[in-house]
Amino acid sequence: MEMRQVNNHKVYRANRNRVFQYILRHDLTTRSEIAHALNLSMPTIINIVKSLMDDGLVYEAGAAQSNGGRKAVTLSCNTRARVSVGMDITLHHISVVFVDIKGAVILKEKTVRPFERSGEYYAFLARLIDRCMLSHDIDPALILGVGISVPGRLSGDSRTLLYSHVLNESNMLCSELESCIPFPCRFCNDANAAALAELWNNHSIGTAVYLSVSDSVGGAVIINDVLYTGENQLAGEFGHMTLVEDGKPCYCGKRGCADAYCAASSLSALAEGKLDAFFSLLRQNHAPATQAWQAYLANLSILINNLRMAFDCPVILGGYIGEYIEPYIDALREMAGRRNTFFADASYIRAATFQHEPSAVGAALLFIEPFIAQI
Ligand SMILES: [Zn+2]
């Protein structure tokens, strides 16, 4: 191909992608609206839309409202053109979600199954995916891949789970799962996956720290809307910052880590392991629950203020606690504000906007983003 042809082809591909993304974001648009918004000629738009329709990515949805004259035909994105699967693996549970190319959750399921590194466990995962596909009539040919959220440290290429304290496992290969699951698989750290879901939900985060507080404490650092993972894929391991010298034992083997004070399990332990039951006791002004909550908030506010001092950016509170924090966020802000050397205003603390199964959804998005980028 000549250089000019190569350049023309590149421009065509770039414009095709812009048109697709425009239709993805603006449901029920028209050819002329796209031409106007993207500053492209009508013949170009007609040509690109035809090729997107030929590929099953876009369809004509009907006639647009008009003030007389010929009605324009509206265009919509075929959000089910591809599907991605996300799984969140914890020590005792597996959550599975299927998302469409808009990142919308088509289905979700949570199952109790203790983790084990075995062919039997991987086959269980494969059957779980199979069952979900059957129950929702999803064609396996449309599945882009399976993103797997795990609580641990990954290799740079995300193909190996180097170490997980929580799962008590090391050097687990993605290919072990692929030998049972008939789709491409990819690991993602659980807190990073949750931050990806938050980013997807809110494209204008910019720079923020995501603090994930569930049965363990983790986090992620988002700089200019991109995850910063660090030299050793360990950026955001806020749970193992020391909060109290020689304090309570942490599951990692050290003492005094933030995790030992801020993990949600320290609250649910007071209500037979159920966090919902703990918050219900708190709402009823149950004295031991109230006392535990005040002590918990004090520790959480220290951790959050430390993050604010390190990063000077918003701190987004996610994980299980993020789902419950809204009625108490002012109290938390006040505590963090009192600790801050420079400003008493702690409105930089925000509750996560994406609250249900963020790690599983974020893992599924690992396959959606590159798919959209190559259209
Ligand atoms: Zn620790």
Side-chain angles (χ1 to χ4, degrees):
M1 232 189 276
E2 275 178 43
M3 192 54 94
R4 208 171 126 225
Q5 278 177 304
V6 172
N7 284 340
N8 283 345
H9 186 67
K10 270 189 184 166
V11 170
Y12 172 80
R13 294 289 305 183
N15 283 334
R16 188 175 188 266
N17 196 273
R18 287 171 69 210
V19 170
F20 177 74
Q21 298 220 31
Y22 187 89
I23 301 170
L24 188 67
R25 282 196 307 275
H26 305 80
D27 216 18
L28 294 179
T29 182
T30 62
R31 287 173 178 81
S32 60
E33 198 178 290
I34 305 168
H36 183 73
L38 302 183
N39 201 18
L40 292 169
S41 73
M42 267 311 263
T44 302
I45 295 295
I46 288 165
N47 187 13
I48 288 175
V49 167
K50 183 182 180 305
S51 96
L52 290 170
M53 286 175 65
D54 288 347
D55 287 349
L57 296 166
V58 163
Y59 64 96
E60 291 184 335
Q65 294 290 335
S66 108
N67 304 319
R70 204 171 139 223
K71 286 180 182 175
V73 176
T74 55
L75 298 167
S76 230
C77 173
N78 176 14
T79 54
R80 296 283 184 95
R82 296 290 187 285
V83 173
S84 179
V85 182
M87 291 189 132
D88 182 31
I89 291 181
T90 67
L91 189 57
H92 299 292
H93 298 94
I94 301 158
S95 296
V96 58
V97 297
F98 279 50
V99 305
D100 66 16
I101 53 175
K102 250 187 158 165
V105 175
I106 300 168
L107 72 96
K108 62 179 166 191
E109 218 180 289
K110 192 168 183 171
T111 309
V112 177
R113 172 89 187 196
F115 170 80
E116 59 181 89
R117 186 177 178 177
S118 71
E120 219 171 279
Y121 182 80
Y122 303 149
F124 180 84
L125 300 182
R127 282 200 302 277
L128 193 57
I129 296 171
D130 246 3
R131 204 173 67 217
C132 290
M133 285 190 306
L134 271 174
S135 68
H136 283 69
D137 204 16
I138 292 165
D139 181 355
L142 301 183
I143 293 191
L144 292 167
V146 182
I148 297 164
S149 149
V150 281
R153 185 182 155 218
L154 306 180
S155 61
D157 62 2
S158 301
R159 295 289 302 165
T160 307
L161 172 60
L162 295 175
Y163 190 68
S164 169
H165 277 292
V166 176
L167 302 179
N168 192 23
E169 200 50 74
S170 58
N171 296 318
M172 187 171 132
L173 306 174
C174 217
S175 54
E176 293 173 37
L177 284 89
E178 283 168 332
S179 66
C180 289
I181 297 172
F183 304 106
C185 295
R186 216 178 132 191
F187 286 134
C188 188
N189 168 271
D190 54 354
N192 283 347
L196 284 177
E198 185 71 17
L199 262 172
W200 186 272
N201 212 33
N202 177 4
H203 285 288
S204 56
I205 285 181
T207 295
V209 165
Y210 184 89
L211 178 62
S212 172
V213 185
S214 292
D215 282 346
S216 61
V217 177
V221 180
I222 302 165
I223 297 176
N224 296 328
D225 292 324
V226 176
L227 280 188
Y228 169 74
T229 53
E231 269 183 39
N232 301 291
Q233 313 294 311
L234 286 171
E237 284 290 349
F238 307 131
H240 304 290
M241 283 164 65
T242 304
L243 211 59
V244 180
E245 190 187 7
D246 290 329
K248 285 191 203 173
C250 177
Y251 70 86
C252 74
K254 308 282 183 204
R255 299 188 80 96
C257 293
D259 195 288
Y261 296 87
C262 299
S265 45
S266 67
L267 299 172
S268 50
L270 303 172
E272 293 170 349
K274 296 188 177 82
L275 196 60
D276 208 43
F278 172 84
F279 279 98
S280 150
L281 288 173
L282 191 60
R283 280 192 298 274
Q284 293 159 32
N285 297 319
H286 180 257
T290 306
Q291 209 179 351
W293 179 241
Q294 287 305 315
Y296 176 88
L297 278 186
N299 285 317
L300 188 62
S301 70
I302 296 175
L303 177 60
I304 290 176
N305 184 59
N306 286 347
L307 296 179
R308 176 69 171 179
M309 287 295 93
F311 294 97
D312 193 20
C313 68
V315 176
I316 299 169
L317 190 54
Y320 299 165
I321 294 297
E323 287 183 42
Y324 290 94
I325 201 67
E326 208 57 67
Y328 312 100
I329 202 158
D330 286 337
L332 178 63
R333 283 172 176 156
E334 204 189 308
M335 282 181 173
R338 275 206 302 271
R339 196 162 286 283
N340 195 290
T341 308
F342 304 97
F343 299 106
D345 174 19
S347 53
Y348 67 85
I349 303 174
R350 298 176 195 162
T353 59
F354 198 101
Q355 296 186 334
H356 301 293
E357 299 294 354
S359 294
V361 172
L365 294 174
L366 291 178
F367 286 93
I368 299 291
E369 291 207 38
F371 173 73
I372 290 175
Q374 59 78 47
I375 283 173

mmCIF file of all heavy atoms in Angstrom, residues 55-98:
data_model
loop_
_atom_site.group_PDB
_atom_site.id
_atom_site.type_symbol
_atom_site.label_atom_id
_atom_site.label_comp_id
_atom_site.label_asym_id
_atom_site.label_seq_id
_atom_site.Cartn_x
_atom_site.Cartn_y
_atom_site.Cartn_z
ATOM 1 N N ASP A 55 -21.302 -4.984 10.410
ATOM 2 C CA ASP A 55 -20.622 -5.753 11.462
ATOM 3 C C ASP A 55 -21.518 -6.043 12.659
ATOM 4 O O ASP A 55 -21.049 -6.588 13.668
ATOM 5 C CB ASP A 55 -19.369 -4.995 11.947
ATOM 6 C CG ASP A 55 -18.253 -5.041 10.916
ATOM 7 O OD1 ASP A 55 -18.383 -5.830 9.948
ATOM 8 O OD2 ASP A 55 -17.268 -4.298 11.067
ATOM 9 N N GLY A 56 -22.778 -5.641 12.578
ATOM 10 C CA GLY A 56 -23.728 -5.929 13.658
ATOM 11 C C GLY A 56 -23.525 -5.081 14.893
ATOM 12 O O GLY A 56 -24.011 -5.431 15.973
ATOM 13 N N LEU A 57 -22.803 -3.964 14.765
ATOM 14 C CA LEU A 57 -22.512 -3.137 15.940
ATOM 15 C C LEU A 57 -23.533 -2.019 16.131
ATOM 16 O O LEU A 57 -23.691 -1.490 17.229
ATOM 17 C CB LEU A 57 -21.110 -2.520 15.802
ATOM 18 C CG LEU A 57 -19.966 -3.537 15.788
ATOM 19 C CD1 LEU A 57 -18.670 -2.894 15.301
ATOM 20 C CD2 LEU A 57 -19.768 -4.119 17.181
ATOM 21 N N VAL A 58 -24.200 -1.650 15.047
ATOM 22 C CA VAL A 58 -25.152 -0.532 15.074
ATOM 23 C C VAL A 58 -26.393 -0.973 14.309
ATOM 24 O O VAL A 58 -26.298 -1.768 13.381
ATOM 25 C CB VAL A 58 -24.499 0.715 14.411
ATOM 26 C CG1 VAL A 58 -25.525 1.769 14.036
ATOM 27 C CG2 VAL A 58 -23.440 1.321 15.341
ATOM 28 N N TYR A 59 -27.573 -0.466 14.709
ATOM 29 C CA TYR A 59 -28.787 -0.784 13.946
ATOM 30 C C TYR A 59 -29.685 0.456 13.858
ATOM 31 O O TYR A 59 -29.534 1.397 14.634
ATOM 32 C CB TYR A 59 -29.533 -1.965 14.561
ATOM 33 C CG TYR A 59 -30.069 -1.717 15.950
ATOM 34 C CD1 TYR A 59 -31.394 -1.324 16.149
ATOM 35 C CD2 TYR A 59 -29.257 -1.883 17.074
ATOM 36 C CE1 TYR A 59 -31.887 -1.089 17.427
ATOM 37 C CE2 TYR A 59 -29.737 -1.660 18.350
ATOM 38 C CZ TYR A 59 -31.068 -1.257 18.520
ATOM 39 O OH TYR A 59 -31.547 -1.022 19.781
ATOM 40 N N GLU A 60 -30.592 0.414 12.886
ATOM 41 C CA GLU A 60 -31.538 1.522 12.739
ATOM 42 C C GLU A 60 -32.707 1.251 13.662
ATOM 43 O O GLU A 60 -33.336 0.199 13.591
ATOM 44 C CB GLU A 60 -31.986 1.630 11.276
ATOM 45 C CG GLU A 60 -30.862 2.108 10.371
ATOM 46 C CD GLU A 60 -31.303 2.307 8.931
ATOM 47 O OE1 GLU A 60 -32.286 1.651 8.522
ATOM 48 O OE2 GLU A 60 -30.658 3.113 8.217
ATOM 49 N N ALA A 61 -32.966 2.231 14.569
ATOM 50 C CA ALA A 61 -33.945 1.980 15.634
ATOM 51 C C ALA A 61 -35.340 2.487 15.292
ATOM 52 O O ALA A 61 -36.305 2.126 15.933
ATOM 53 C CB ALA A 61 -33.457 2.613 16.929
ATOM 54 N N GLY A 62 -35.469 3.369 14.310
ATOM 55 C CA GLY A 62 -36.791 3.906 13.963
ATOM 56 C C GLY A 62 -36.665 5.323 13.454
ATOM 57 O O GLY A 62 -35.577 5.763 13.102
ATOM 58 N N ALA A 63 -37.790 6.054 13.452
ATOM 59 C CA ALA A 63 -37.782 7.431 12.939
ATOM 60 C C ALA A 63 -37.668 8.417 14.083
ATOM 61 O O ALA A 63 -38.272 8.237 15.134
ATOM 62 C CB ALA A 63 -39.047 7.685 12.144
ATOM 63 N N ALA A 64 -36.871 9.454 13.874
ATOM 64 C CA ALA A 64 -36.713 10.489 14.905
ATOM 65 C C ALA A 64 -37.898 11.440 14.863
ATOM 66 O O ALA A 64 -38.588 11.536 13.853
ATOM 67 C CB ALA A 64 -35.421 11.261 14.662
ATOM 68 N N GLN A 65 -38.154 12.161 15.963
ATOM 69 C CA GLN A 65 -39.177 13.223 15.988
ATOM 70 C C GLN A 65 -38.732 14.306 15.002
ATOM 71 O O GLN A 65 -37.553 14.597 14.904
ATOM 72 C CB GLN A 65 -39.242 13.838 17.385
ATOM 73 C CG GLN A 65 -39.735 12.911 18.481
ATOM 74 C CD GLN A 65 -41.221 12.604 18.341
ATOM 75 O OE1 GLN A 65 -41.958 13.398 17.749
ATOM 76 N NE2 GLN A 65 -41.646 11.454 18.837
ATOM 77 N N SER A 66 -39.678 14.859 14.284
ATOM 78 C CA SER A 66 -39.266 15.949 13.395
ATOM 79 C C SER A 66 -40.389 16.970 13.275
ATOM 80 O O SER A 66 -41.547 16.676 13.523
ATOM 81 C CB SER A 66 -38.884 15.384 12.019
ATOM 82 O OG SER A 66 -39.840 15.702 11.062
ATOM 83 N N ASN A 67 -40.002 18.193 12.917
ATOM 84 C CA ASN A 67 -40.995 19.251 12.758
ATOM 85 C C ASN A 67 -41.373 19.353 11.290
ATOM 86 O O ASN A 67 -41.178 20.364 10.647
ATOM 87 C CB ASN A 67 -40.430 20.603 13.234
ATOM 88 C CG ASN A 67 -39.941 20.529 14.658
ATOM 89 O OD1 ASN A 67 -40.594 19.910 15.488
ATOM 90 N ND2 ASN A 67 -38.800 21.125 14.924
ATOM 91 N N GLY A 68 -41.895 18.315 10.750
ATOM 92 C CA GLY A 68 -42.270 18.306 9.346
ATOM 93 C C GLY A 68 -41.129 17.865 8.469
ATOM 94 O O GLY A 68 -40.003 17.714 8.943
ATOM 95 N N GLY A 69 -41.404 17.610 7.220
ATOM 96 C CA GLY A 69 -40.375 17.130 6.299
ATOM 97 C C GLY A 69 -40.108 15.655 6.533
ATOM 98 O O GLY A 69 -40.823 14.991 7.291
ATOM 99 N N ARG A 70 -39.086 15.166 5.883
ATOM 100 C CA ARG A 70 -38.768 13.738 5.983
ATOM 101 C C ARG A 70 -38.133 13.438 7.340
ATOM 102 O O ARG A 70 -37.229 14.148 7.764
ATOM 103 C CB ARG A 70 -37.822 13.372 4.847
ATOM 104 C CG ARG A 70 -37.902 11.908 4.511
ATOM 105 C CD ARG A 70 -37.131 11.621 3.238
ATOM 106 N NE ARG A 70 -36.412 10.374 3.421
ATOM 107 C CZ ARG A 70 -35.185 10.180 3.044
ATOM 108 N NH1 ARG A 70 -34.486 11.150 2.479
ATOM 109 N NH2 ARG A 70 -34.623 9.006 3.217
ATOM 110 N N LYS A 71 -38.625 12.394 8.017
ATOM 111 C CA LYS A 71 -38.072 12.067 9.332
ATOM 112 C C LYS A 71 -36.754 11.311 9.190
ATOM 113 O O LYS A 71 -36.643 10.406 8.370
ATOM 114 C CB LYS A 71 -39.068 11.190 10.099
ATOM 115 C CG LYS A 71 -40.254 11.975 10.609
ATOM 116 C CD LYS A 71 -41.211 11.072 11.355
ATOM 117 C CE LYS A 71 -42.423 11.861 11.808
ATOM 118 N NZ LYS A 71 -43.423 10.994 12.418
ATOM 119 N N ALA A 72 -35.769 11.736 9.994
ATOM 120 C CA ALA A 72 -34.477 11.050 9.952
ATOM 121 C C ALA A 72 -34.579 9.718 10.691
ATOM 122 O O ALA A 72 -35.381 9.570 11.607
ATOM 123 C CB ALA A 72 -33.428 11.925 10.616
ATOM 124 N N VAL A 73 -33.784 8.775 10.248
ATOM 125 C CA VAL A 73 -33.781 7.453 10.894
ATOM 126 C C VAL A 73 -32.813 7.493 12.068
ATOM 127 O O VAL A 73 -31.685 7.979 11.936
ATOM 128 C CB VAL A 73 -33.350 6.362 9.878
ATOM 129 C CG1 VAL A 73 -33.247 5.001 10.569
ATOM 130 C CG2 VAL A 73 -34.335 6.320 8.725
ATOM 131 N N THR A 74 -33.262 7.003 13.223
ATOM 132 C CA THR A 74 -32.373 7.007 14.393
ATOM 133 C C THR A 74 -31.474 5.770 14.398
ATOM 134 O O THR A 74 -31.842 4.714 13.884
ATOM 135 C CB THR A 74 -33.166 7.038 15.709
ATOM 136 O OG1 THR A 74 -34.060 5.945 15.708
ATOM 137 C CG2 THR A 74 -33.894 8.333 15.885
ATOM 138 N N LEU A 75 -30.315 5.960 15.006
ATOM 139 C CA LEU A 75 -29.339 4.873 15.093
ATOM 140 C C LEU A 75 -29.107 4.526 16.557
ATOM 141 O O LEU A 75 -29.106 5.395 17.420
ATOM 142 C CB LEU A 75 -28.009 5.315 14.483
ATOM 143 C CG LEU A 75 -28.042 5.680 13.015
ATOM 144 C CD1 LEU A 75 -26.753 6.385 12.625
ATOM 145 C CD2 LEU A 75 -28.272 4.445 12.151
ATOM 146 N N SER A 76 -28.900 3.260 16.785
ATOM 147 C CA SER A 76 -28.622 2.811 18.143
ATOM 148 C C SER A 76 -27.473 1.817 18.107
ATOM 149 O O SER A 76 -27.233 1.171 17.089
ATOM 150 C CB SER A 76 -29.866 2.126 18.690
ATOM 151 O OG SER A 76 -30.172 2.646 19.937
ATOM 152 N N CYS A 77 -26.824 1.691 19.247
ATOM 153 C CA CYS A 77 -25.722 0.737 19.331
ATOM 154 C C CYS A 77 -26.267 -0.620 19.745
ATOM 155 O O CYS A 77 -27.120 -0.705 20.633
ATOM 156 C CB CYS A 77 -24.749 1.286 20.377
ATOM 157 S SG CYS A 77 -23.472 0.150 20.743
ATOM 158 N N ASN A 78 -25.798 -1.662 19.125
ATOM 159 C CA ASN A 78 -26.186 -3.017 19.539
ATOM 160 C C ASN A 78 -25.322 -3.395 20.751
ATOM 161 O O ASN A 78 -24.232 -3.932 20.597
ATOM 162 C CB ASN A 78 -25.965 -3.989 18.374
ATOM 163 C CG ASN A 78 -26.270 -5.415 18.792
ATOM 164 O OD1 ASN A 78 -26.879 -5.653 19.842
ATOM 165 N ND2 ASN A 78 -25.846 -6.367 17.977
ATOM 166 N N THR A 79 -25.828 -3.058 21.919
ATOM 167 C CA THR A 79 -24.997 -3.224 23.129
ATOM 168 C C THR A 79 -24.675 -4.688 23.421
ATOM 169 O O THR A 79 -23.746 -4.984 24.152
ATOM 170 C CB THR A 79 -25.684 -2.601 24.362
ATOM 171 O OG1 THR A 79 -26.982 -3.160 24.469
ATOM 172 C CG2 THR A 79 -25.758 -1.097 24.247
ATOM 173 N N ARG A 80 -25.477 -5.596 22.857
ATOM 174 C CA ARG A 80 -25.207 -7.023 23.078
ATOM 175 C C ARG A 80 -24.354 -7.640 21.962
ATOM 176 O O ARG A 80 -24.314 -8.855 21.806
ATOM 177 C CB ARG A 80 -26.524 -7.800 23.179
ATOM 178 C CG ARG A 80 -27.384 -7.399 24.366
ATOM 179 C CD ARG A 80 -26.841 -8.011 25.657
ATOM 180 N NE ARG A 80 -27.725 -7.704 26.762
ATOM 181 C CZ ARG A 80 -28.694 -8.511 27.197
ATOM 182 N NH1 ARG A 80 -28.890 -9.669 26.621
ATOM 183 N NH2 ARG A 80 -29.448 -8.155 28.213
ATOM 184 N N ALA A 81 -23.710 -6.771 21.161
ATOM 185 C CA ALA A 81 -22.886 -7.301 20.065
ATOM 186 C C ALA A 81 -21.787 -8.193 20.626
ATOM 187 O O ALA A 81 -21.360 -9.158 19.984
ATOM 188 C CB ALA A 81 -22.280 -6.151 19.269
ATOM 189 N N ARG A 82 -21.289 -7.853 21.810
ATOM 190 C CA ARG A 82 -20.325 -8.691 22.533
ATOM 191 C C ARG A 82 -20.672 -8.626 24.011
ATOM 192 O O ARG A 82 -21.318 -7.692 24.469
ATOM 193 C CB ARG A 82 -18.884 -8.194 22.341
ATOM 194 C CG ARG A 82 -18.340 -8.258 20.943
ATOM 195 C CD ARG A 82 -18.079 -9.685 20.457
ATOM 196 N NE ARG A 82 -17.400 -9.662 19.168
ATOM 197 C CZ ARG A 82 -17.995 -9.368 17.999
ATOM 198 N NH1 ARG A 82 -19.285 -9.086 17.958
ATOM 199 N NH2 ARG A 82 -17.280 -9.361 16.877
ATOM 200 N N VAL A 83 -20.176 -9.612 24.736
ATOM 201 C CA VAL A 83 -20.441 -9.684 26.171
ATOM 202 C C VAL A 83 -19.129 -10.039 26.864
ATOM 203 O O VAL A 83 -18.302 -10.760 26.299
ATOM 204 C CB VAL A 83 -21.507 -10.782 26.454
ATOM 205 C CG1 VAL A 83 -21.685 -11.018 27.945
ATOM 206 C CG2 VAL A 83 -22.841 -10.401 25.827
ATOM 207 N N SER A 84 -18.928 -9.497 28.054
ATOM 208 C CA SER A 84 -17.736 -9.879 28.810
ATOM 209 C C SER A 84 -18.152 -10.405 30.180
ATOM 210 O O SER A 84 -19.154 -9.980 30.748
ATOM 211 C CB SER A 84 -16.810 -8.668 28.950
ATOM 212 O OG SER A 84 -15.672 -9.031 29.693
ATOM 213 N N VAL A 85 -17.361 -11.335 30.681
ATOM 214 C CA VAL A 85 -17.666 -11.955 31.975
ATOM 215 C C VAL A 85 -16.658 -11.447 33.004
ATOM 216 O O VAL A 85 -15.476 -11.296 32.697
ATOM 217 C CB VAL A 85 -17.560 -13.500 31.874
ATOM 218 C CG1 VAL A 85 -17.934 -14.158 33.208
ATOM 219 C CG2 VAL A 85 -18.435 -14.026 30.749
ATOM 220 N N GLY A 86 -17.143 -11.158 34.196
ATOM 221 C CA GLY A 86 -16.256 -10.788 35.294
ATOM 222 C C GLY A 86 -16.510 -11.697 36.476
ATOM 223 O O GLY A 86 -17.664 -12.042 36.761
ATOM 224 N N MET A 87 -15.422 -12.138 37.129
ATOM 225 C CA MET A 87 -15.581 -12.981 38.315
ATOM 226 C C MET A 87 -14.758 -12.386 39.433
ATOM 227 O O MET A 87 -13.612 -11.998 39.227
ATOM 228 C CB MET A 87 -15.070 -14.392 38.033
ATOM 229 C CG MET A 87 -15.936 -15.150 37.067
ATOM 230 S SD MET A 87 -15.422 -16.865 36.985
ATOM 231 C CE MET A 87 -17.008 -17.654 37.152
ATOM 232 N N ASP A 88 -15.354 -12.318 40.604
ATOM 233 C CA ASP A 88 -14.614 -11.858 41.779
ATOM 234 C C ASP A 88 -14.430 -13.066 42.685
ATOM 235 O O ASP A 88 -15.399 -13.616 43.202
ATOM 236 C CB ASP A 88 -15.387 -10.740 42.484
ATOM 237 C CG ASP A 88 -14.620 -10.194 43.677
ATOM 238 O OD1 ASP A 88 -13.372 -10.207 43.625
ATOM 239 O OD2 ASP A 88 -15.255 -9.757 44.653
ATOM 240 N N ILE A 89 -13.171 -13.461 42.831
ATOM 241 C CA ILE A 89 -12.872 -14.643 43.641
ATOM 242 C C ILE A 89 -12.396 -14.199 45.019
ATOM 243 O O ILE A 89 -11.430 -13.440 45.139
ATOM 244 C CB ILE A 89 -11.808 -15.509 42.933
ATOM 245 C CG1 ILE A 89 -12.448 -16.132 41.686
ATOM 246 C CG2 ILE A 89 -11.249 -16.574 43.869
ATOM 247 C CD1 ILE A 89 -11.546 -17.030 40.904
ATOM 248 N N THR A 90 -13.107 -14.644 46.041
ATOM 249 C CA THR A 90 -12.669 -14.384 47.412
ATOM 250 C C THR A 90 -12.453 -15.735 48.093
ATOM 251 O O THR A 90 -12.664 -16.779 47.470
ATOM 252 C CB THR A 90 -13.712 -13.540 48.182
ATOM 253 O OG1 THR A 90 -14.900 -14.321 48.353
ATOM 254 C CG2 THR A 90 -14.054 -12.252 47.448
ATOM 255 N N LEU A 91 -12.064 -15.703 49.344
ATOM 256 C CA LEU A 91 -11.754 -16.961 50.029
ATOM 257 C C LEU A 91 -12.969 -17.885 50.093
ATOM 258 O O LEU A 91 -12.845 -19.102 49.969
ATOM 259 C CB LEU A 91 -11.230 -16.651 51.439
ATOM 260 C CG LEU A 91 -10.664 -17.828 52.225
ATOM 261 C CD1 LEU A 91 -9.534 -18.514 51.475
ATOM 262 C CD2 LEU A 91 -10.168 -17.346 53.593
ATOM 263 N N HIS A 92 -14.160 -17.315 50.256
ATOM 264 C CA HIS A 92 -15.354 -18.154 50.453
ATOM 265 C C HIS A 92 -16.406 -18.029 49.363
ATOM 266 O O HIS A 92 -17.322 -18.833 49.314
ATOM 267 C CB HIS A 92 -16.008 -17.824 51.797
ATOM 268 C CG HIS A 92 -15.105 -18.085 52.959
ATOM 269 N ND1 HIS A 92 -14.715 -19.357 53.320
ATOM 270 C CD2 HIS A 92 -14.480 -17.242 53.818
ATOM 271 C CE1 HIS A 92 -13.904 -19.283 54.364
ATOM 272 N NE2 HIS A 92 -13.732 -18.011 54.681
ATOM 273 N N HIS A 93 -16.310 -16.980 48.533
ATOM 274 C CA HIS A 93 -17.381 -16.737 47.554
ATOM 275 C C HIS A 93 -16.846 -16.556 46.135
ATOM 276 O O HIS A 93 -15.674 -16.236 45.946
ATOM 277 C CB HIS A 93 -18.144 -15.443 47.900
ATOM 278 C CG HIS A 93 -18.817 -15.487 49.220
ATOM 279 N ND1 HIS A 93 -18.232 -15.006 50.362
ATOM 280 C CD2 HIS A 93 -20.032 -15.955 49.579
ATOM 281 C CE1 HIS A 93 -19.052 -15.179 51.379
ATOM 282 N NE2 HIS A 93 -20.151 -15.757 50.938
ATOM 283 N N ILE A 94 -17.762 -16.720 45.191
ATOM 284 C CA ILE A 94 -17.484 -16.345 43.800
ATOM 285 C C ILE A 94 -18.651 -15.473 43.343
ATOM 286 O O ILE A 94 -19.807 -15.885 43.451
ATOM 287 C CB ILE A 94 -17.420 -17.571 42.875
ATOM 288 C CG1 ILE A 94 -16.344 -18.547 43.331
ATOM 289 C CG2 ILE A 94 -17.184 -17.136 41.431
ATOM 290 C CD1 ILE A 94 -16.562 -19.949 42.821
ATOM 291 N N SER A 95 -18.346 -14.262 42.865
ATOM 292 C CA SER A 95 -19.389 -13.435 42.249
ATOM 293 C C SER A 95 -19.119 -13.426 40.759
ATOM 294 O O SER A 95 -17.976 -13.273 40.341
ATOM 295 C CB SER A 95 -19.317 -11.991 42.757
ATOM 296 O OG SER A 95 -19.586 -11.955 44.132
ATOM 297 N N VAL A 96 -20.170 -13.604 39.986
ATOM 298 C CA VAL A 96 -20.000 -13.556 38.534
ATOM 299 C C VAL A 96 -20.953 -12.524 37.954
ATOM 300 O O VAL A 96 -22.092 -12.402 38.419
ATOM 301 C CB VAL A 96 -20.199 -14.967 37.903
ATOM 302 C CG1 VAL A 96 -21.555 -15.539 38.220
ATOM 303 C CG2 VAL A 96 -19.970 -14.941 36.401
ATOM 304 N N VAL A 97 -20.460 -11.726 37.011
ATOM 305 C CA VAL A 97 -21.320 -10.783 36.297
ATOM 306 C C VAL A 97 -21.067 -10.936 34.797
ATOM 307 O O VAL A 97 -19.977 -11.338 34.380
ATOM 308 C CB VAL A 97 -21.046 -9.300 36.684
ATOM 309 C CG1 VAL A 97 -21.333 -9.040 38.149
ATOM 310 C CG2 VAL A 97 -19.636 -8.890 36.338
ATOM 311 N N PHE A 98 -22.091 -10.642 34.010
ATOM 312 C CA PHE A 98 -21.945 -10.524 32.567
ATOM 313 C C PHE A 98 -22.258 -9.065 32.245
ATOM 314 O O PHE A 98 -23.264 -8.541 32.731
ATOM 315 C CB PHE A 98 -22.957 -11.426 31.835
ATOM 316 C CG PHE A 98 -22.532 -12.864 31.733
ATOM 317 C CD1 PHE A 98 -22.090 -13.574 32.841
ATOM 318 C CD2 PHE A 98 -22.596 -13.527 30.508
ATOM 319 C CE1 PHE A 98 -21.709 -14.899 32.749
ATOM 320 C CE2 PHE A 98 -22.218 -14.862 30.394
ATOM 321 C CZ PHE A 98 -21.776 -15.557 31.519
#
